């Protein structure tokens, strides 16, 4: 199956700093990637849809100025958590869609654990 | 509103035993239904994927069933192993979801004890 990687796998930062998380599709091109957040013992919550070459689409309640998404190439999307605070501590997971617009097979990355002190 | 409900929320089974996880959904029409395994601190990994016309799909010791009439799916784990301890998530892909959004169940946390 298609492989999606994330970097870093975990990060600890001080409150007020910014953190960038990368999501890469390793063996396929992905025009669309998705960013999810997962709190302990809960399921994944979609934060935003990242579209190559255009602006990301954010879900209701997700601050676009706080969670900056850049999908600069067909294999890379980045999520930057700006001015991170302890409540941003969470497990962030990306997925990449394989195939065209009518094909909805998504492969997930291994996740990034963010801890904000 | 599209929903996916899973039961039980958690369960404990002894190594070697079988178990069945349930998924009820209201998403209709849908493109496909998938079961994922998520180990703690890891991303979800696909176990099975079924379209609305399929009613069973196996992947090793994992067998998923789908009843499109009652909008129910199940995941059966045979001869459980310690490595089966994980969360299992039922995910439904609506046929024409805006932005291709998936609908996630809350997951069932399985703990296999020796």
């Amino acid at each position: 199956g298609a492989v999606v990687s994330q970097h870093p796998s975990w990060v600890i930062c001080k409150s007020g700093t910014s953190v960038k998380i990368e999501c890469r599709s390793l063996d396929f091109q992905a025009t669309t990637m998705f960013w999810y957040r997962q709190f302990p013992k809960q399921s994944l919550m979609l934060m935003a849809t990242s579209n190559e070459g255009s602006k990301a689409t954010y879900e209701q309640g997700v601050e676009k100025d706080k969670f900056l998404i850049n999908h600069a190439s067909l294999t890379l999307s980045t999520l930057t958590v700006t001015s991170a605070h302890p409540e941003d501590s969470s497990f962030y997971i990306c997925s990449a869609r394989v195939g065209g617009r009518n094909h909805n097979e998504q492969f997930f990355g291994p996740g990034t654990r963010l801890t904000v002190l | 509103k599209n929903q996916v409900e899973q039961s039980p929320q958690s369960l404990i089974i002894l190594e070697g035993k079988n178990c069945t996880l349930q998924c009820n959904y209201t998403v209709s029409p849908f493109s496909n239904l998938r079961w994922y395994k998520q180990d703690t601190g890891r991303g979800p990994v696909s176990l099975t994927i079924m379209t609305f016309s399929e009613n069973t799909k196996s992947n090793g010791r994992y067998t998923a069933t789908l009843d499109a009439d009652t909008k129910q799916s199940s995941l059966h784990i045979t001869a459980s192993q310690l490595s089966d301890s994980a969360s299992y998530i039922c995910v439904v892909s609506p046929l024409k979801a805006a932005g291709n959004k998936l609908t996630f169940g809350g997951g069932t946390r399985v703990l296999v004890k020796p």
Side-chain angles (χ1 to χ4, degrees), chain A:
Chain A
V3 180
V4 176
S5 71
Q6 283 184 239
H7 178 81
S9 56
W10 60 270
V11 57
I12 301 173
C13 69
K14 293 182 178 180
S15 185
T17 60
S18 294
V19 174
K20 180 186 285 188
I21 303 171
E22 293 185 348
C23 177
R24 292 182 186 273
S25 56
L26 297 186
D27 50 1
F28 65 99
Q29 293 183 331
T31 57
T32 304
M33 293 183 174
F34 302 86
W35 286 98
Y36 298 85
R37 181 167 49 184
Q38 186 177 32
F39 293 105
K41 297 185 178 181
Q42 294 186 22
S43 194
L44 285 71
M45 295 191 312
L46 180 65
M47 299 175 64
T49 301
S50 172
N51 303 295
E52 188 268 336
S54 64
K55 291 182 179 181
T57 304
Y58 290 83
E59 294 300 297
Q60 190 173 8
V62 178
E63 300 175 57
K64 62 180 181 180
D65 294 329
K66 181 168 184 61
F67 299 99
L68 301 179
I69 292 173
N70 185 11
H71 195 151
S73 77
L74 289 172
T75 59
L76 173 64
S77 175
T78 61
L79 168 68
T80 301
V81 183
T82 62
S83 187
H85 291 286
E87 58 265 29
D88 298 323
S89 298
S90 187
F91 193 52
Y92 292 86
I93 303 173
C94 74
S95 72
R97 188 180 72 194
V98 175
R101 180 176 295 276
N102 295 321
H103 189 87
N104 199 16
E105 180 69 48
Q106 293 184 28
F107 291 88
F108 290 86
T112 297
R113 172 75 59 193
L114 170 63
T115 301
V116 184
L117 302 178

Side-chain angles (χ1 to χ4, degrees), chain B residues 13-107:
Chain B
I13 59 174
L14 293 177
E15 186 178 13
K17 298 297 184 182
N18 304 334
C19 68
T20 300
L21 315 180
Q22 300 292 341
C23 173
N24 296 333
Y25 61 92
T26 60
V27 181
S28 182
F30 72 93
S31 173
N32 54 67
L33 183 148
R34 311 155 204 201
W35 283 92
Y36 286 90
K37 178 186 179 186
Q38 185 179 22
D39 292 310
T40 301
R42 304 291 294 174
V45 175
S46 180
L47 294 175
T48 63
I49 177 170
M50 293 180 289
T51 64
F52 67 91
S53 61
E54 297 177 289
N55 54 28
T56 188
K57 184 69 70 77
S58 290
N59 178 1
R61 294 180 296 103
Y62 300 102
T63 299
T65 63
L66 174 63
D67 186 334
D69 291 331
T70 61
K71 295 186 173 58
Q72 294 180 323
S73 176
S74 66
L75 180 69
H76 187 75
I77 305 175
T78 304
S80 61
Q81 299 177 358
L82 298 179
S83 59
D84 292 331
S85 296
S87 285
Y88 293 84
I89 307 172
C90 176
V91 181
V92 181
S93 176
L95 187 60
K96 292 184 178 180
N100 300 115
K101 297 177 189 176
L102 302 178
T103 304
F104 290 80

